[in-house]
Amino acid sequence: LGLGISINLYDAEALYNAMKGFGSDKEAILDLITSRSNAQRQEIRAAYKSQYGKDLIDDLKYELTGKFERLIVGLMRPPAYHDAKEIKDAIKGAGTDEKCLIEILTSRTNEQIHNLVAAYKDAYGRDLEEDVIGDTSGHFKKMLIVLLQGTREEDDVVSEDLVEQDDLYDAGEAQWGTDEAKFIMLLGNRSVTHLQLVFDEYQNIAEKSIEDSIKSELSGDFERLMLAVVQCIRSKPMYFAKRLYKSMKGLGTADNTLIRIMVSRSEIDMLDIRECFRLRYEKSLYNMIQDDTSGEYKRTLLNLCGGDDDIAGEFFPEAAQIAYKMWEISAMTKVQLRGTVRPYQNFDPASDAQALRKAMKGFGTDEDTIIDIVTHRSNAQRQEIRQTFKSLLGRELMADLKSELSKNLERLILGLMMTPAEFDAKMMKKAMEGAGTDEHSLIEILVTRSNQEIQEMCSAYQNAYKKSLEDAIASDTSGQFKRILISLAQGAREEGPVDMARALEDAQVLADACNADSGDMEDKFMSILCTRSFPHLRRVFQEFVRCSNKDFEQIIKKEMSGDFKNAMFAIVRSVKNQPSYFADRLYKAMKGLGTDDRALIRIMVSRSEIDLFNIRKEFKETHDATLHEFIQGDTSGDYRKTLLIICGGED
């Protein structure tokens, strides 16, 4: 006990010396505070007050500034008082920071909630429940109040009978809008283990995840709150990994979120959060902090983070379970794909052909009419318009459009007017012509198209350019990358039901290949990833986690290189969640300075009748902004107008 007191006095003195005189020794402050537990910091704070008659937090506030000050002071507060301060800041003033309320109240244990309520009362002399009631409304308010009670059943409370009785499917698909109370009661009170079983049962009955149901039926803050509850039930580390990623991606950093999570989870589950971060985003949390912050603020965050996981290849137990479960959900979920462009009801190809001719006749061009007709017809209807235009007017519609339009609008409208096979063939040709090769385009197209789409594209390529696509790829690429592209260009993926015994066998082959030399490993990976069906590969990747305890994507990242690695990554991402893969491609096409218009046009045109609605949803989920907003801010004029119509909504 005496040694403990002397150490606390020594630390208190070290902090006092770091702050006395002109300026302060920030490195000494951050090194000391980040190398002590919160309980030890409270002892140091008490020792500081008894030794110097001053409050340590007040002195730190005086000496430090900005984000670094907020981070250090946050570390010095007891956890319950830190949460209370965050909640107070979230609900004071004109606006409410709903995301902060959601994050704290959905992720804390019963004991942490009770301590938070008591700390709020002690610090501010106010009742937290009353303040939340006064600042929120509707079902959002009701769910927050339920969570504030801190009455979730403990994890050993699981009843198989109740799992069947707690039928979220009946409360959901048929009764959203009338039975939210059942969802609020169940999600706010049942134990974590119990709800995980309920979610599995829901998946079996509905053939969709509970998250997908919430996204399709709810909106606004209540949707975000219920999704956060579900995500925390499934895995708090994964929930926080997503929050941290969103706080740092894109332009600017949401420092309040970053600080809050790094402070509150540093002694609880930071190692698991790091592993989940790497699992989901193919980049370590350490490296993202390093790239996104600076100075003493960065150093403090990196100390809290504790290590760089980009050098790791194996999972921690928690992350291995999460990875296995993620692939299981991916394998079981039957996603209903939805496009944003549908056939026009009162379709009259002759009328459309005449209207298009009139829009391009004489002086000037009526772009509005062209855009309106082309974007509101399905591709099959556009092909009828092309044929009718030629038979009625004796002219080639594509040639007329090309002569009347220009730049990106011309490329976009012509792309919409081509058949999907013609368009893909043209995109492949563009990717390989000229001095450089656009490897990302080649990968994207060949990885994401079905057997039939690839075969039709190969035929269209031969007809248009009098050369086989395979020969074009062979002459423009080399090595293992050439081999993987030619393999994909055969359009010969297996089809049919998943054979679990064969999936287990393939998983073991891949696991064994990780210990082979690089050439053998690439051959084994290619032979399975390029030929098996996507449903089969989902089961393979799931079982790979079980038999190797390795992160499949991290193996690719560490052991492979160049365009071959990029192609392998694209296959895994598409197998896991193809709309998410396209959402990421669209984000990269528009983020930062300049726009990759070719990629933007290619994806918007090719996915508009297949899964662009799903891509929109994934874009918003991952990037915390809508695809509509990105297009609006990154393009202009008639080109922007056309893209926004194809996008189909603001979400």
Side-chain angles (χ1 to χ4, degrees):
L1 180 63
L3 179 62
I5 291 171
S6 66
I7 290 172
N8 294 333
L9 290 172
Y10 173 81
D11 285 348
E13 184 179 359
L15 288 171
Y16 180 79
N17 289 334
M19 291 186 283
K20 75 178 182 180
F22 183 73
S24 54
D25 186 346
K26 296 180 179 66
E27 289 201 9
I29 293 169
L30 75 88
D31 282 339
L32 193 152
I33 288 176
T34 57
S35 60
R36 304 294 186 270
S37 70
N38 190 274
Q40 289 172 327
R41 293 181 206 125
Q42 302 319 310
E43 292 177 20
I44 295 167
R45 188 178 173 191
Y48 191 94
K49 194 162 198 173
S50 67
Q51 196 164 354
Y52 301 108
K54 302 166 73 177
D55 185 77
L56 176 56
I57 286 181
D58 289 344
D59 280 4
L60 288 167
K61 283 182 178 179
Y62 180 79
E63 291 292 334
L64 309 177
T65 59
K67 294 173 285 191
F68 179 54
E69 176 220 318
R70 295 206 302 275
L71 177 54
I72 292 295
V73 169
L75 287 166
M76 286 305 306
R77 290 194 182 100
Y81 284 82
H82 180 65
D83 281 349
K85 176 73 163 61
E86 292 294 302
I87 293 270
K88 181 66 175 173
D89 290 345
I91 57 180
K92 75 179 181 183
T96 303
D97 183 354
E98 291 85 2
K99 291 177 183 175
C100 173
L101 292 179
I102 290 169
E103 179 198 299
I104 292 174
L105 295 183
T106 57
S107 64
R108 301 314 192 244
T109 64
N110 289 345
E111 183 182 1
Q112 288 170 331
I113 292 286
H114 297 153
N115 292 341
L116 159 64
V117 171
Y120 192 91
K121 183 78 171 177
D122 180 54
Y124 307 110
R126 300 178 63 87
D127 183 83
L128 178 54
E129 184 175 322
E130 289 179 6
D131 282 359
V132 169
I133 289 171
D135 216 62
T136 58
S137 61
H139 292 301
F140 179 61
K141 174 179 73 177
K142 291 175 187 174
M143 186 63 182
L144 289 178
I145 298 307
V146 168
L147 294 172
L148 263 175
Q149 306 315 301
T151 53
R152 188 175 297 287
E153 295 165 348
E154 299 304 324
D155 267 353
D156 57 353
V157 181
V158 179
S159 165
E160 293 297 335
D161 294 337
L162 270 178
V163 169
E164 293 184 14
Q165 183 182 316
D166 288 350
D167 190 351
L168 288 176
Y169 183 71
D170 286 344
E173 297 298 295
Q175 300 181 54
W176 279 113
T178 61
D179 208 7
E180 277 92 344
K182 183 172 183 179
F183 268 81
I184 289 171
M185 186 277 291
L186 295 179
L187 294 182
N189 290 287
R190 294 285 192 257
S191 75
V192 169
T193 306
H194 177 90
L195 283 172
Q196 287 171 345
L197 294 173
V198 171
F199 297 162
D200 288 345
E201 185 66 17
Y202 185 95
Q203 181 100 27
N204 290 332
I205 297 170
E207 294 187 331
K208 65 192 292 190
S209 69
I210 185 68
E211 291 95 330
D212 286 340
S213 184
I214 290 171
K215 288 175 192 175
S216 64
E217 301 294 341
L218 302 181
S219 61
D221 292 325
F222 187 49
E223 176 195 352
R224 282 187 281 273
L225 174 57
M226 297 305 262
L227 281 174
V229 172
V230 171
Q231 288 165 2
C232 285
I233 294 297
R234 289 204 188 275
S235 167
K236 283 182 188 176
M238 182 58 78
Y239 170 73
F240 283 115
K242 291 177 182 177
R243 293 281 295 150
L244 284 167
Y245 178 76
K246 289 179 180 178
S247 76
M248 290 182 281
K249 68 165 185 60
L251 295 173
T253 303
D255 291 293
N256 286 345
T257 301
L258 178 57
I259 290 169
R260 183 172 58 247
I261 296 173
M262 296 301 290
V263 168
S264 66
R265 310 312 294 185
S266 58
E267 293 182 48
I268 300 174
D269 53 4
M270 185 56 69
L271 282 175
D272 292 314
I273 292 169
R274 276 168 38 186
E275 189 70 3
C276 290
F277 194 98
R278 178 169 66 93
L279 171 66
R280 184 169 178 88
Y281 300 110
E282 299 153 21
K283 181 176 185 175
S284 72
L285 175 59
Y286 189 96
N287 273 334
M288 194 146 185
I289 291 171
Q290 197 155 38
D291 293 344
D292 214 63
T293 58
S294 61
E296 287 89 4
Y297 177 53
K298 174 170 77 174
R299 274 205 58 201
T300 311
L301 289 170
L302 291 177
N303 284 2
L304 295 175
C305 181
D308 182 2
D309 299 304
D310 275 347
I311 59 173
E314 294 196 357
F315 285 122
F316 298 135
E318 166 82 4
Q321 292 170 18
I322 293 167
Y324 188 85
K325 191 68 180 177
M326 281 172 62
W327 282 114
E328 183 178 50
I329 291 170
S330 177
M332 291 175 63
T333 302
K334 293 187 178 179
V335 179
Q336 182 182 356
L337 299 178
R338 287 172 55 188
T340 55
V341 175
R342 299 171 186 82
Y344 188 62
Q345 291 300 307
N346 302 311
F347 178 56
D348 181 349
S351 174
D352 284 347
Q354 295 283 7
L356 286 170
R357 177 61 186 145
K358 183 179 177 183
M360 294 184 282
K361 198 174 177 182
F363 183 73
T365 306
D366 182 357
E367 285 91 353
D368 287 344
T369 296
I370 295 170
I371 292 167
D372 185 60
I373 292 173
V374 173
T375 57
H376 290 98
R377 307 296 184 268
S378 68
N379 191 273
Q381 289 174 333
R382 293 183 206 124
Q383 303 319 309
E384 285 190 57
I385 295 171
R386 280 175 71 178
Q387 293 167 3
T388 305
F389 195 91
K390 190 167 189 176
S391 62
L392 277 181
L393 305 167
R395 302 175 67 89
E396 286 286 351
L397 176 55
M398 300 293 276
D400 282 5
L401 287 168
K402 193 167 186 177
S403 69
E404 293 293 327
L405 305 175
S406 63
K407 297 182 181 176
N408 286 327
L409 179 63
E410 175 208 327
R411 289 191 279 272
L412 178 54
I413 293 293
L414 288 177
L416 289 165
M417 288 303 305
M418 294 175 188
T419 68
E422 289 172 340
F423 181 67
D424 280 347
K426 179 77 178 288
M427 292 296 100
M428 292 292 286
K429 177 69 173 173
K430 287 284 185 186
M432 293 184 283
E433 71 183 8
T437 302
D438 183 353
E439 293 86 0
H440 288 293
S441 296
L442 299 179
I443 292 168
E444 178 200 298
I445 294 169
L446 290 174
V447 163
T448 60
R449 301 313 191 248
S450 67
N451 288 345
Q452 183 180 345
E453 288 169 334
I454 287 175
Q455 288 156 13
E456 289 173 354
M457 173 179 65
C458 288
S459 177
Y461 195 97
Q462 180 74 51
N463 291 338
Y465 308 112
K466 310 308 176 193
K467 181 179 184 179
S468 76
L469 178 57
E470 184 176 325
D471 287 346
I473 291 170
S475 63
D476 207 66
T477 58
S478 61
Q480 289 283 60
F481 182 55
K482 175 175 78 174
R483 289 180 58 208
I484 196 172
L485 293 182
I486 289 175
S487 176
L488 293 169
Q490 305 311 301
R493 279 197 184 276
E494 297 169 356
E495 296 173 346
V498 176
D499 180 342
M500 277 306 296
R502 190 157 176 252
L504 284 165
E505 184 182 318
D506 283 347
Q508 191 61 57
V509 168
L510 292 174
D512 293 342
C514 293
N515 300 316
D517 65 52
S518 60
D520 285 347
M521 183 176 72
E522 288 176 354
D523 287 345
K524 287 283 196 310
F525 274 46
M526 194 174 85
S527 68
I528 292 173
L529 269 65
C530 293
T531 60
R532 307 297 196 259
S533 70
F534 277 20
H536 178 90
L537 286 174
R538 289 185 190 106
R539 289 298 187 186
V540 171
F541 296 152
Q542 180 188 359
E543 294 305 323
F544 179 86
V545 174
R546 191 201 295 276
C547 64
S548 71
N549 195 43
K550 286 186 168 66
D551 178 352
F552 195 79
E553 289 162 283
Q554 192 69 8
I555 293 296
I556 294 171
K557 186 175 181 179
K558 283 180 64 181
E559 303 297 337
M560 299 176 187
S561 61
D563 294 319
F564 184 81
K565 177 181 77 173
N566 294 335
M568 283 290 170
F569 258 133
I571 293 172
V572 177
R573 290 289 312 279
S574 292
V575 168
K576 186 186 287 184
N577 184 336
Q578 195 157 281
S580 175
Y581 168 73
F582 279 118
D584 190 51
R585 295 281 297 143
L586 284 169
Y587 176 75
K588 288 175 179 174
M590 292 183 280
K591 72 172 180 133
L593 296 173
T595 304
D596 183 351
D597 291 293
R598 184 177 290 179
L600 179 57
I601 291 169
R602 182 176 62 249
I603 296 170
M604 295 296 288
V605 169
S606 65
R607 311 314 295 182
S608 60
E609 292 183 52
I610 301 173
D611 56 1
L612 189 53
F613 179 84
N614 307 79
I615 292 167
R616 271 171 34 195
K617 294 295 183 185
E618 291 292 340
F619 194 100
K620 184 181 178 186
E621 169 73 15
T622 305
H623 302 294
D624 237 16
T626 67
L627 178 58
H628 189 281
E629 289 168 348
F630 259 66
I631 292 170
Q632 184 99 37
D634 217 59
T635 59
S636 61
D638 290 325
Y639 174 52
R640 174 171 66 188
K641 179 181 176 181
T642 310
L643 287 169
L644 290 177
I645 295 171
I646 298 168
C647 181
E650 297 187 39
D651 297 313

